[in-house]
Amino acid sequence: MVQAASDTTTAQLDSPQEWNLSDLYQGFDDPRLTQDLADLEKQAAAFRQTYRGNVSELTPETIAACLQELETIAQKSGYLYAFPALVFSADTRNAEAKQMQDKVLEAITGIENQLLFFDLALKKLDDAQFAALEAAPVLQPYRHYFYNIAKFRPYTLSEEVEQTRNQDSLTGRQAFIQLRSVHLGEQEYKPVTTPDGKSASTDAELSALLFHPDRDVRYNAYASVRTVMHQHNSLYGYILSTVAQDHKLENQMRVYPSTLHKQLLSDEVSEPVFRAIMDGTRDRFDLWQRYYTLKGKALGQKIRTCDVYAPWGREAVEPLPYKAGVETLLTALEQFDTNYARRAEEFFLKNWVDAKVRPGKRGGAFCWYSHGKHSYLLLSYTDDYNSLFTLAHEMGHGLHFAWIDDRQSYFNSNPPMVLAEIASTFNELLLLDYLLKQAADNPALKKTLITRQLEDQLNLLFRQSTISRLELAVHDRATQGSFDQSFVNEQWQSLYQELCGDAVDVLPEHQYDWARIGHIYFKPFYCYQYTASNIVSLACYQKYLQVGKDFIPGYMELLAAGGSMDQVEALCKYVDVDLENPATIHAALKYVEGLLDQLQAAL
């Protein structure tokens, strides 16, 4: 176990903790909140007054100073928005948080509109001027920033139109996305009582029951959530159609070929790599079907979509209270790297984690990074190993950003999504290896962990890419006009049936399940990146197993790179992994196939 430091930590963690946001603001009545907002508005106005209309005449040294000032403004804006957004995520029924979030977002949009001219002016420089800035020694720390500006030069609109787009978003696309979050947070679910008399009624608690050994409990928990999705099917379908239509209109205005093309530019992923991931995973649906066929035989019944996370048998696995879970995670990270574990421990010591289960709390989990400070982690810890792996995953994000914060300025702090998910998955693999060693004399737990890893891999490689296949269908359909919920229901059910084949009974309720996938609203084609990042994470972990501690310095450099360089280049340079090589995809699929072989041999 981790020694003295973790003893201090775990002494205060007898139950899942709530976070302390005082690093940002003391509360909505904190006078600094209003003052900071007013100061930012003045700073933005002064910047605009000083530089608008003469950007093309500025020296590289002045451009560098401007970028540093813009980074300061963006960093402070981030703190202002983070506070109400985090309060709202912890309690979506908090009306004051919602109102403050709307107020701050409107103010920050105004600030961004004041400053928009600078980015647009850089994009409109002639090729010779732009190339001179890219080559200037004083601007080398912003080399990748300029690379990204150059990518979007062909798609940039006038300042007036860009400002209008930003303002319209408040009552347009972003408003609909927020409406879904608010509405979902207000839902109440039919309680499900387990054979031991415990009742579950929140989304987090009901989702945890999908791992319950009793098939009726699993179905009832699954149906409780999907019943609500069914009740509001038309609303969520309308919101998705509206969001997709807004993307289509933006594509037309900016002359993007498609929503996919637009997003891949932002993701720094080429379309051939995206298609290779889609094709490579689709070609191996047999792995998903093989696993669930084996599981169905072991359970003596065909697997239903509500059973995919069912335990393989009725072997009892002890609950894992929060305190024990935190100790376990810190110990696993300690065995990888001491400094890595100490920085993880800081999240618990300083209450940067909100793990408590409560009504109104946003579903799922996330890591929210505030550049210049630290990250905040949100999850709902339900005393089980699934919750522990979620904690490990989000902690991976938090540690990744800690290394970025040590090294990168604001404009270089946001890694592309494939890089952004590596540390989270890598953390889970570290945790798994540690737990398997500890479970050597506990066959029930060992089997649970191996099958959990397989199911996690199958989810990342196949379910996440299937979500992106749904988005391909949705955004293609949007080019023809609006659609309703029945189109999305049919597409989701059909795609899932193709994935499952005869191995899994796709229940009728599953057609409504897409409404729970927040990413299809927040950011199109987000989910394939989980697949891509998992492929890369597996490659990194195999390298670590091969070379041991010598892998760590390069891995830490990869984390610290943040968004300062091309992600394909960073992977090759620091950990010798080539995302564009089809062999990297095939190796990940072979890893899963190897796990399946091990499992089958043990049955």
Side-chain angles (χ1 to χ4, degrees):
M1 284 291 180
V2 177
Q3 300 303 314
S6 74
D7 294 339
T8 303
T9 302
T10 57
Q12 56 187 311
L13 301 179
D14 289 333
S15 61
Q17 64 197 117
E18 298 183 56
W19 54 27
N20 179 352
L21 302 178
S22 61
D23 275 3
L24 296 169
Y25 295 97
Q26 295 295 326
F28 294 129
D29 58 352
D30 187 336
R32 291 186 303 123
L33 203 158
T34 303
Q35 186 61 51
D36 286 353
L37 198 53
D39 290 346
L40 275 182
E41 289 173 334
K42 290 178 184 177
Q43 188 177 1
F47 185 94
R48 181 181 179 85
Q49 180 68 30
T50 303
Y51 297 110
R52 187 172 186 267
N54 63 3
V55 173
S56 63
E57 301 166 10
L58 300 179
T59 65
E61 289 73 19
T62 306
I63 292 286
C66 287
L67 291 175
Q68 289 165 9
E69 185 173 357
L70 289 172
E71 287 183 310
T72 299
I73 293 171
Q75 184 185 74
K76 291 179 180 177
S77 295
Y79 302 157
L80 282 163
Y81 184 68
F83 183 69
L86 290 170
V87 174
F88 178 73
S89 294
D91 180 9
T92 60
R93 302 177 183 185
N94 185 326
E96 186 180 17
K98 173 66 174 61
Q99 290 168 2
M100 182 60 73
Q101 189 177 15
D102 290 343
K103 176 184 176 181
V104 170
L105 182 57
E106 182 177 358
I108 289 175
T109 300
I111 290 169
E112 290 173 348
N113 275 347
Q114 288 277 310
L115 303 173
L116 192 57
F117 76 91
F118 192 83
D119 179 80
L120 295 175
L122 290 178
K123 288 175 179 174
K124 290 177 180 177
L125 292 175
D126 64 43
D127 291 346
Q129 281 183 294
F130 196 87
L133 290 180
E134 286 185 295
V138 72
L139 290 171
Q140 285 312 291
Y142 297 102
R143 180 175 59 88
H144 197 60
Y145 173 79
F146 278 96
Y147 165 78
N148 279 324
I149 285 179
K151 281 193 313 186
F152 290 99
R153 289 176 79 186
Y155 309 107
T156 302
L157 305 171
S158 70
E159 182 181 359
E160 293 77 12
V161 175
E162 293 284 2
Q163 288 178 335
T164 301
R165 284 292 304 169
N166 283 345
Q167 290 167 338
D168 286 350
S169 181
L170 294 174
T171 52
R173 185 197 304 170
Q174 290 305 318
F176 278 98
I177 292 170
Q178 186 76 335
L179 170 63
R180 173 194 168 272
S181 295
V182 172
H183 188 269
L184 200 56
E186 291 176 344
Q187 299 312 304
E188 296 185 357
Y189 304 96
K190 181 180 178 181
V192 173
T193 303
T194 59
D196 59 2
K198 294 181 180 178
S199 181
S201 58
T202 67
D203 184 286
E205 292 168 331
L206 292 166
S207 295
L209 289 183
L210 296 179
F211 296 83
H212 198 277
D214 188 289
R215 71 182 265 114
D216 291 334
V217 168
R218 291 194 300 271
Y219 175 76
N220 290 337
Y222 175 92
S224 175
V225 174
R226 276 78 188 168
T227 295
V228 171
M229 297 303 104
H230 184 197
Q231 288 170 350
H232 305 293
N233 189 220
S234 61
L235 172 63
Y236 295 141
Y238 179 76
I239 294 173
L240 183 60
S241 178
T242 301
V243 168
Q245 288 295 308
D246 190 79
H247 281 289
K248 181 189 77 170
L249 293 174
E250 182 183 11
N251 298 340
Q252 292 172 345
M253 294 174 69
R254 299 185 185 278
V255 201
Y256 284 117
S258 65
T259 300
L260 174 66
H261 179 87
K262 175 179 65 176
Q263 202 56 54
L264 291 178
L265 273 181
S266 177
D267 297 339
E268 298 184 28
V269 172
S270 68
E271 186 158 346
V273 168
F274 172 81
R275 297 294 178 185
I277 291 169
M278 291 292 103
D279 294 343
T281 50
R282 183 170 233 150
D283 289 344
R284 293 310 311 268
F285 281 178
D286 63 290
L287 296 174
W288 173 283
Q289 294 165 12
R290 178 184 167 194
Y291 174 80
Y292 284 108
T293 298
L294 286 172
K295 188 171 189 175
K297 289 179 180 176
L299 296 182
Q301 59 201 27
K302 188 174 182 179
I303 297 295
R304 306 164 295 175
T305 42
C306 62
D307 300 322
V308 292
Y309 300 122
W312 271 65
R314 290 189 173 268
E315 305 99 326
V317 173
E318 291 294 319
L320 188 68
Y322 187 62
K323 179 178 177 180
V326 170
E327 290 177 335
T328 300
L329 175 59
L330 292 176
T331 305
L333 299 183
E334 171 89 11
Q335 297 196 356
F336 174 66
D337 182 74
T338 300
N339 187 38
Y340 197 68
R342 292 289 74 76
R343 297 193 77 165
E345 186 174 48
E346 192 176 11
F347 281 76
F348 303 108
L349 284 167
K350 296 186 176 178
N351 288 319
W352 297 341
V353 181
D354 192 304
K356 188 173 182 178
V357 177
R358 56 181 173 271
K361 186 173 183 178
R362 193 195 120 156
F366 65 70
C367 168
W368 188 298
Y369 171 46
S370 290
H371 183 268
K373 292 186 182 291
H374 53 82
S375 297
Y376 291 97
L377 311 184
L378 179 139
L379 69 152
S380 295
Y381 193 92
T382 51
D383 289 357
D384 52 36
Y385 283 92
N386 189 54
S387 293
L388 175 58
F389 277 93
T390 299
L391 179 59
H393 182 101
E394 300 307 334
M395 182 61 74
H397 286 307
L399 291 169
H400 188 178
F401 285 122
W403 257 258
I404 290 172
D405 212 65
D406 289 345
R407 195 80 62 86
Q408 303 299 340
S409 67
Y410 184 90
F411 285 150
N412 288 330
S413 66
N414 189 25
M417 172 64 183
V418 172
L419 280 190
E421 288 294 335
I422 289 174
S424 54
T425 306
F426 195 89
N427 258 25
E428 292 191 63
L429 293 167
L430 288 171
L431 176 62
L432 176 70
D433 270 4
Y434 171 75
L435 288 172
L436 286 174
K437 290 172 185 173
Q438 299 302 304
D441 299 323
N442 187 339
L445 178 57
K446 190 171 183 179
K447 188 175 181 182
T448 295
L449 292 169
I450 291 174
T451 54
R452 186 210 174 278
Q453 169 67 352
L454 261 168
E455 289 172 8
D456 196 36
Q457 291 297 323
L458 292 170
N459 171 47
L460 289 167
L461 292 169
F462 298 111
R463 184 176 185 273
Q464 297 298 332
S465 56
T466 295
I467 293 170
S468 287
R469 290 186 187 91
L470 173 67
E471 292 181 288
L472 284 170
V474 162
H475 288 283
D476 180 62
R477 178 65 181 80
T479 63
Q480 304 166 37
S482 61
F483 52 83
D484 63 14
Q485 72 278 8
S486 62
F487 171 78
V488 194
N489 295 345
E490 291 164 7
Q491 290 293 320
W492 182 238
Q493 194 80 344
S494 174
L495 287 165
Y496 226 77
Q497 189 61 65
E498 181 186 2
L499 170 63
C500 292
D502 294 330
V504 177
D505 184 7
V506 182
L507 296 172
E509 296 94 330
H510 199 73
Q511 65 184 299
Y512 313 116
D513 205 57
W514 54 267
R516 302 179 68 242
I517 306 168
H519 288 128
I520 67 175
Y521 298 90
F522 305 149
K523 184 178 179 184
F525 301 103
Y526 190 94
C527 291
Y528 85 88
Q529 294 175 98
Y530 283 122
T531 306
S533 186
N534 184 60
I535 289 166
V536 172
S537 296
L538 287 172
C540 287
Y541 203 70
Q542 293 302 312
K543 295 275 186 185
Y544 167 58
L545 295 179
Q546 290 165 14
V547 303
K549 297 289 185 180
D550 289 342
F551 171 82
I552 295 175
Y555 179 70
M556 297 307 186
E557 287 295 317
L558 178 68
L559 299 187
S564 66
M565 61 190 297
D566 177 78
Q567 62 184 349
V568 173
E569 178 188 338
L571 285 164
C572 289
K573 178 178 180 179
Y574 294 124
V575 291
D576 192 27
V577 170
D578 186 358
L579 177 61
E580 295 183 335
N581 187 344
T584 305
I585 300 174
H586 297 151
L589 294 165
K590 288 295 290 183
Y591 169 81
V592 174
E593 190 168 24
L595 287 177
L596 270 169
D597 291 341
Q598 291 179 45
L599 177 64
Q600 193 160 9
L603 294 178

